């Protein structure tokens, strides 16, 4: 009886720590960002957060670019189209373990978390 109880407690402890590890591990990774250009033209993108800017550069139509930042803040994206039209996305909060996806269309810049897709 005591051996059975000990085995049950051991298995429960192992399962508890396995599940805990699965949920905690992503919080140690830098935030990831993916920018998808779904517009028919080349766009130029700049990521803006706090007092920082990262020039992503030009992204071809129907292609994407990924990057990460070792920080925690709100980020927005400034997109300049081939005809010099400029749009900015809404600001999204990011922290460790988060992935943000930005989709650029001909008339909008949409930002969402990857778990919202």
């Amino acid at each position: 009886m005591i051996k059975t109880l000990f085995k049950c407690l051991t298995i429960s402890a192992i399962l508890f720590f396995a599940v805990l590890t699965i949920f905690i591990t992503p919080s140690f990774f830098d935030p990831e960002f993916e920018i998808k250009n779904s517009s028919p033209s080349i766009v130029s993108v700049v990521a803006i957060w706090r007092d920082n800017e990262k020039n992503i550069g030009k992204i071809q139509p129907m292609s994407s670019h990924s990057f990460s930042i070792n920080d925690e803040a709100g980020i927005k994206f400034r997109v300049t189209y081939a005809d010099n039209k400029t749009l900015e996305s809404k600001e999204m909060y990011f922290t460790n373990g988060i992935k943000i996806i930005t989709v650029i269309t001909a008339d909008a810049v949409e930002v969402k978390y990857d778990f919202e897709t």
Side-chain angles (χ1 to χ4, degrees):
M1 168 111 168
I2 293 179
K3 274 188 163 183
T4 306
L5 180 63
F6 182 70
K7 283 183 182 181
C8 287
L9 288 175
T10 301
I11 291 171
S12 297
I14 290 170
L15 288 174
F16 172 76
F17 285 112
V19 169
L20 188 65
T21 301
I22 289 169
F23 284 110
I24 290 177
T25 300
S27 67
F28 292 108
F29 296 116
D30 286 344
E32 294 181 50
F33 304 91
E34 183 177 2
I35 304 169
K36 297 178 182 179
N37 183 6
S38 297
S39 75
S41 64
I42 297 174
V43 295
S44 180
V45 181
V46 176
I48 305 163
W49 73 101
R50 291 190 193 183
D51 294 329
N52 299 309
E53 287 189 2
K54 180 177 178 85
N55 186 0
I56 306 303
K58 296 181 189 254
I59 302 176
Q60 297 293 323
M62 304 307 158
S63 62
S64 64
H65 179 81
S66 297
F67 66 99
S68 66
I69 299 172
N70 185 12
D71 203 348
E72 180 177 329
I75 191 166
K76 61 184 175 180
F77 296 90
R78 184 181 309 131
V79 177
T80 305
Y81 293 84
D83 62 358
N84 287 328
K85 175 176 72 171
T86 302
L87 295 177
E88 274 193 9
S89 70
K90 66 179 182 176
E91 190 171 52
M92 294 287 285
Y93 175 77
F94 67 91
T95 187
N96 289 339
I98 294 289
K99 183 172 183 179
I100 293 180
I101 299 173
T102 304
V103 179
I104 301 166
T105 61
D107 57 353
V109 181
E110 299 174 9
V111 183
K112 57 189 168 191
Y113 297 108
D114 69 333
F115 55 82
E116 294 178 331
T117 58

